[in-house]
Amino acid sequence: MDDPVWGPVHQDIAGLLADHPADVPAVVDHLTKLQDMLVRLPPLERSCPLADFNGLYLTITTSVLNGLYDDRFADPVFLARLDVEFAARYFDALRYWTESSPVTPRAWSCLFRRMRGPDARPLPSAAAGVNAHINYDLPFALVTTFDSLESEPVDGSEQHHDYLEINQIFAERIPELRRGYLDNWQLMIDMLNGDIDDWYQGELVEYTRNVAWRNAQKIWRCRHDPEARECERERLDDNAAALGRLLLSPLGAFLQ
């Protein structure tokens, strides 16, 4: 009999994933509990590749929650619903993997396979998770959110403005997040580079999220056509999986 996917914390993770969080505070709670479980996952324990992404996701989502409390967004109902729908796709991917389901997105599988080694460097691991979540999950989360709110993804709308405001949250948190993944020698190079690395990675996040918005608009136009929608899902899954494998390759580790 095969060992449980998540080893000694398998039942804890399966229990956590049994229900979807209903609001943003519950998403933060789920991510916090999941992080506590992932850092206990052998053999890598605190160097668990998925924990590297989950910790980043928790930090950004906590910042979004604080933004909701501080009235940072023009349409908080939209932003909160998007956050919940976005998280649901991540938790679904984890649940599929937990159940050894063949429908686990390929975009996520390339990272999940690294749970038991070979070890992956922290920054490429976090980047691979961001890649899967933004390039694959986010367009569909946007479509589901707009559909539920009986709205649509329109450039220049209040919802689009709030969506772009998340880029600013990333920009605010990227420096500390990125440096948390670096070794001492990399930190020295980072200091020599000044703000260049922070600027570049902020630009990359903004570009990637803009592409996700465009892909959501494309899916929105074919949302009532199951065949066309599935073609888009396959395309995005294939593209994100290819990039994820590159990020987790020796080249990805070198580029860290």
Side-chain angles (χ1 to χ4, degrees):
M1 181 177 180
D2 293 336
D3 292 335
V5 170
W6 302 110
V9 296
H10 185 91
Q11 291 302 320
D12 292 337
I13 291 180
L16 180 69
L17 299 173
D19 296 311
H20 279 160
D23 53 30
V24 183
V27 171
V28 170
D29 183 64
H30 261 58
L31 292 171
T32 301
K33 290 176 178 175
L34 180 59
Q35 188 71 9
D36 291 341
M37 296 171 191
L38 291 173
V39 297
R40 293 187 280 120
L41 182 65
L44 305 176
E45 295 187 336
R46 291 194 176 276
S47 62
C48 169
L50 184 57
D52 293 323
F53 163 72
N54 194 82
L56 180 153
Y57 188 23
L58 172 58
T59 297
I60 296 298
T61 305
T62 300
S63 295
V64 171
L65 178 59
N66 291 335
L68 288 167
Y69 288 149
D70 294 340
D71 296 324
R72 180 169 183 166
F73 306 107
D75 188 345
V77 173
F78 160 77
L79 209 288
R81 183 58 182 263
L82 176 59
D83 193 278
V84 170
E85 294 291 345
F86 193 32
R89 298 191 66 85
Y90 170 51
F91 292 132
D92 280 344
L94 282 166
R95 180 169 52 81
Y96 292 143
W97 186 256
T98 300
E99 298 168 353
S100 300
S101 171
V103 301
T104 306
R106 294 182 292 280
W108 281 111
S109 295
C110 60
L111 178 58
F112 295 161
R113 290 193 187 100
R114 304 301 286 266
M115 292 306 99
R116 300 191 180 189
D119 197 3
R121 300 291 296 170
L123 188 55
S125 297
V130 171
N131 160 64
H133 207 27
I134 293 180
N135 287 323
Y136 178 66
D137 290 338
L138 185 52
F140 293 99
L142 280 163
V143 169
T144 303
T145 298
F146 279 114
D147 195 39
S148 67
L149 297 177
E150 298 182 346
S151 183
E152 58 184 298
V154 176
D155 291 351
S157 62
E158 286 189 344
Q159 293 86 356
H160 190 213
H161 176 272
D162 286 344
Y163 178 82
L164 296 177
E165 185 65 18
I166 302 299
N167 296 345
Q168 183 59 36
I169 289 178
F170 268 98
E172 294 165 1
R173 304 310 302 266
I174 276 176
E176 64 176 287
L177 285 168
R178 186 173 59 80
R179 291 181 181 91
Y181 296 119
L182 302 182
D183 296 327
N184 288 336
W185 67 271
Q186 293 169 317
L187 286 169
M188 185 175 298
I189 295 175
D190 185 75
M191 290 176 61
L192 294 174
N193 287 340
D195 295 332
I196 292 175
D197 290 339
D198 295 334
W199 171 82
Y200 167 75
Q201 293 190 1
E203 290 293 305
L204 185 60
V205 167
E206 182 175 347
Y207 171 79
T208 304
R209 294 188 80 254
N210 285 342
V211 170
W213 177 267
R214 298 300 174 206
N215 281 325
Q217 291 177 318
K218 187 174 182 180
I219 297 166
W220 179 261
R221 292 191 290 270
C222 69
R223 67 191 184 282
H224 298 308
D225 183 339
E227 184 175 349
R229 182 184 171 110
E230 177 61 16
C231 285
E232 283 302 301
R233 191 199 67 77
E234 286 281 345
R235 178 181 70 85
L236 294 179
D237 199 8
D238 285 343
N239 290 345
L243 181 53
R245 289 191 294 270
L246 176 62
L247 290 168
L248 292 167
S249 69
L251 176 60
F254 173 77
L255 293 175
Q256 179 186 356

